[in-house]
Amino acid sequence: MTWDEKDLDEKGDLTFFITRGIECQWDLYLVNTYTFKQLKALDLNTVSMPEDWLQASEDESWSMD
């Protein structure tokens, strides 16, 4: 399914931008962790996202209210 920004409501818009940011960080993580040769042969199903990316610190609030 393709998302178009004009189809999103306020919460959907926020979700879209958060997930887009995670996607960009994921790309940077891969580029900075593996060589170009390794990336060409890498099975992305074997790579895990760092868990701390999705854990809120005690000072952060994840509420969308």
Side-chain angles (χ1 to χ4, degrees):
M1 176 177 205
T2 302
W3 289 92
D4 192 345
E5 289 183 51
K6 68 182 179 191
D7 296 329
L8 301 174
D9 61 12
E10 187 175 320
K11 287 185 180 183
D13 193 44
L14 177 60
T15 302
F16 174 81
F17 287 109
I18 290 171
T19 55
R20 182 71 177 124
I22 292 171
E23 178 186 20
C24 291
Q25 290 299 316
W26 177 248
D27 291 342
L28 289 170
Y29 171 77
L30 292 174
V31 167
N32 289 315
T33 303
Y34 300 98
T35 66
F36 182 70
K37 186 176 181 178
Q38 289 173 317
L39 285 170
K40 287 182 8 179
L42 186 64
D43 176 5
L44 292 176
N45 292 319
T46 64
V47 182
S48 297
M49 180 183 291
E51 289 183 26
D52 61 334
W53 284 12
L54 300 176
Q55 293 175 350
S57 71
E58 293 176 359
D59 298 331
E60 294 180 61
S61 172
W62 288 91
S63 174
M64 291 181 61
D65 295 327

